[in-house]
């Protein structure tokens, strides 16, 4: 168990850098600064991959699930800005966008595993926030992904909803977390859905300031009524 603390500390240190980078990247940046951000994202992505590659394979149970839940959560935060279509698309940024989508799906699958096998449940409050972030990415995949990606994303959205339902009796504060997801869905359904992923100050607050309420900033445009959305109470 002591060895796992070292892995946790390393992971939290990487998260600190991801958080700082996300706050700097939110405003509109000239192309040369975007390229600099891309390089920093690549560096931090390699740090996360190295952390995962060196994690002891024999470690299982709740701590294993909790640490890897954090790993996928931080990968989503790192690559989330590449869901913003206003960014210039390159081979690298397209790959980063896929990394974000794959991490959201892996996060959902990981949290479903303890429930499916009946052990090592992860029932702490922070899982609620990371599940909301995962759901927002999965919603993007369900709306804009390739045909073979849509069904797995929709299934993962349903699994995430079950997770939030299971967490709610333990953590009444999750009502705020679920409302945050509801606000995000409103950005998608009451406007131009793709603009809901603009990486602006609202989005940074949505990703990082999970203890605060959010202003209901919504995009304008045609509603997306043909998408099976993540159910919100």
């Amino acid at each position: 168990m002591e060895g796992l603390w070292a892995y946790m500390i390393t992971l939290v240190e990487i998260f600190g850098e991801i958080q700082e980078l996300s706050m700097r990247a939110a405003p509109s940046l000239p192309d040369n600064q975007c390229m600099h951000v891309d390089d920093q994202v690549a560096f931090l992505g390699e740090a996360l991959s190295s952390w995962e590659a060196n994690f002891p394979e024999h470690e299982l149970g709740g701590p294993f699930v909790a640490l890897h839940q954090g790993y996928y959560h931080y990968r989503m935060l790192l690559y989330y800005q590449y869901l913003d279509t206003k960014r210039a698309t390159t081979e690298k940024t397209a790959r980063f966008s896929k990394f974000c989508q794959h991490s959201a799906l892996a996060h959902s699958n990981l949290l479903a595993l303890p429930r499916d096998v009946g052990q090592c449940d992860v029932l702490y409050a922070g899982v609620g926030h990371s599940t909301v972030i995962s759901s927002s990415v999965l919603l993007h995949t369900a709306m804009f992904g390739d045909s073979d990606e849509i069904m797995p994303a929709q299934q993962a959205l349903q699994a995430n909803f079950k997770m939030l339902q299971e967490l709610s009796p333990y953590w009444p504060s999750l009502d705020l977390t679920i409302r945050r997801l509801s606000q995000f869905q409103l950005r998608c359904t009451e406007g131009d859905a793709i603009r809901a992923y603009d990486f602006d100050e609202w989005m940074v607050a949505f990703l990082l300031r999970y203890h605060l309420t959010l202003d209901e900033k919504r995009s304008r445009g045609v509603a997306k009524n043909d998408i099976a959305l993540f159910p919100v109470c």
Side-chain angles (χ1 to χ4, degrees), residues 98 101 137-150 153:
K98 288 297 184 183
Q101 294 173 332
V137 179
L138 291 166
L139 181 59
H140 183 281
T141 305
M143 291 189 294
F144 308 113
D146 298 332
S147 58
D148 61 334
E149 297 174 326
I150 294 174

Side-chain angles (χ1 to χ4, degrees), residues 161-229:
F161 180 56
K162 290 181 181 179
M163 172 58 69
L164 289 174
Q165 285 182 313
E166 292 178 9
L167 287 170
S168 293
Y170 299 97
W171 304 101
S173 61
L174 282 180
D175 287 346
L176 172 60
T177 301
I178 295 174
R179 286 201 301 272
R180 289 164 63 86
L181 180 58
S182 178
Q183 289 177 345
F184 187 85
Q185 287 189 183
L186 285 172
R187 292 191 75 183
C188 294
T189 59
E190 294 191 356
D192 183 359
I194 197 65
R195 293 299 305 277
Y197 292 87
D198 288 356
F199 200 75
D200 52 18
E201 292 181 359
W202 190 97
M203 181 59 74
V204 171
F206 175 74
L207 295 175
L208 300 178
R209 299 173 184 172
Y210 54 87
H211 60 292
L212 300 177
T213 57
L214 298 175
D215 293 330
E216 294 187 14
K217 172 187 171 184
R218 302 170 187 172
S219 305
R220 298 176 181 177
V222 179
K224 292 278 185 178
N225 295 322
D226 57 341
I227 301 297
L229 295 179

Side-chain angles (χ1 to χ4, degrees), residues 74-91:
Y74 298 156
R75 277 178 62 90
M76 286 188 289
L77 296 181
L78 177 63
Y79 297 118
Y80 203 103
Q81 60 183 291
Y82 298 97
L83 301 181
D84 184 349
T85 58
K86 296 197 311 300
R87 291 187 60 101
T89 301
T90 65
E91 181 179 347

